[in-house]
Structure formats: structure tokens, C-alpha cells
Amino acid sequence: AENSSWGYARIQGTLKDLGHRVGRTTVSRILKNEGIQPAPDRPSSWKTFLKAHWGEVAATDFFTTEVWTLKGLVTYYTLFLIDLKTRRIHIAGSTPHPDEAFMAQVARNLTAAVDGFLLDHRFLICDRDTKFSDQFRRILKDARIAIVLTPHRAPNCNAFAERFVRSIREECLNRMIFFGESSLHRAIREYVEHYHRERPHQGIANEVIERADPRPTAGIKVRSKERLGGLLRHYSR
């Protein structure tokens, strides 16, 4: 199960090194009884894929926010990307109309030669949402970035992005009422700054993604920093 490319002979040889003399037919029979397919048809696990390409994989998704405007309550779609290794977030844009033109411009920005977020990435994980249009995928493909589609109804395959959506909603968006697009942009900007520079992350050993200063020693006075009127707090020495 851990070595998807190993055939019967390779398994037989490894067992021999471990002091077990087993025939190839015995290996074949045991694997079949356990429901494990022969090597050419045996898929590697999702966890193995991520480990093999750690540092080259980003994930993307949308989250929605209700905003009061002159036209009434409008749903804004915010597209973001997350680098799986560092947990760094990039907000690609927010719009009430994530049409093909919007997505194409986002793809061009993400693959820009100077400061595109995906410059150092080879894979982008996304779900099968139709908003990820053919043109969006084609632009990424031309930039040599492979789109990895998650299976239907399998949010765990995009767990890092899903976790960020849960965090920004529970810690920020669900606690605010937005009047106008600018108020939404300000809240997202403040949260991302907090997320990068002040908030510890369990997935990276409770460290901060972008620590500005070395960790101080005890004995210095603790101060509190507030964002969004105290909705987000950070403590430092």
C-alpha cells in the first residue's frame, strides 16, 4: 500500500532481504486477497502525491460574502490561493460576477513573469467548479502549471484551502456586516495580514508564517495589538 510502483518481484526481493522466502505467486495471491491491484494499476495515495511535490503545490478555492450595496444584498465571490508548504495566502480578487473574463485576468496575474504567485509552483489543486473555465485552465497550462482536479464531493482532497475558508469565516467574516465593496476588501486585507504576521498555525508547529522579528525573551512588557476594532488581536513583547 505504501509503494504503488512495486511489482511482485520487487516485493519478493524486499521480503528476501528481511529474511522471508516467499514465491511470486504467494505475493500475488496475498495482494489480491487484500484487494490491492497489480503495480501498473495501483494508484498512489493523495498523501504520497503531496509529499512528493511539497513546495510546488498550491490550492485554490472561492469563499462567498454577503455585502450590502445600493442595489441591495449582493454576494461577492473571493478567489484565493494557498501555498501548501508555507500556508501563505494570496487573494486573487473579489467580484459579484466571477465570469470567464474575470477568471482569465486572474490566471494572467497568477502566472505573470515578475510577481505571479504561481511562479514557483507546478501544480494547482482545485475543485470541479465551472467557474474554473477552459480559458483559465489553458492559460495555466501554457505556463506549465498542471491543474489537479479533486474528485466529486471530496472536500478533504482540498483540505488546506477548506481550512482557510473556515478560519476567515469564523474569525472574521461571520462576525461583521459589510456596507459596500471597500469594507469587504479592508476586512480581507486586515485578516490576511493577521494570518501571515501574527496568527500561529498548528500545521507548521504553531509558528507564524512571516515573523518580522526574532522571538523575544521573557521579562519585556506584553502589549496587545488590535485589528478591525478588536475583532482580531495579537500579543507581543
Side-chain angles (χ1 to χ4, degrees), residues 42-114:
R42 194 185 312 145
S44 60
S45 70
W46 187 245
K47 185 176 181 180
T48 299
F49 168 79
L50 293 180
K51 281 187 176 180
H53 300 287
W54 207 236
E56 300 178 325
V57 184
T60 186
D61 204 353
F62 286 90
F63 60 83
T64 59
T65 314
E66 303 297 325
V67 178
W68 283 104
T69 69
L70 295 176
K71 298 180 180 180
L73 197 61
V74 176
T75 300
Y76 274 75
Y77 297 82
T78 301
L79 178 66
F80 72 94
L81 292 88
I82 180 171
D83 176 83
L84 301 196
K85 182 178 181 180
T86 65
R87 303 300 201 274
R88 188 164 57 95
I89 292 293
H90 174 74
I91 301 298
S94 296
T95 178
H97 306 292
D99 54 19
E100 189 167 353
F102 170 81
M103 295 301 295
Q105 185 59 54
V106 164
R108 287 190 285 267
N109 294 342
L110 294 175
T111 57
V114 177

Side-chain angles (χ1 to χ4, degrees), residues 119-152:
L119 279 181
D120 298 325
H121 296 82
R122 293 177 53 206
F123 301 94
L124 180 65
I125 301 172
C126 63
D127 59 26
R128 298 173 183 269
D129 194 323
T130 55
K131 289 190 284 291
F132 296 109
S133 63
D134 292 339
Q135 186 178 10
F136 175 86
R137 299 180 189 182
R138 184 166 58 251
I139 293 172
L140 264 60
K141 182 179 180 181
D142 292 342
R144 298 183 179 180
I145 298 170
I147 295 286
V148 181
L149 297 177
T150 60
H152 291 286

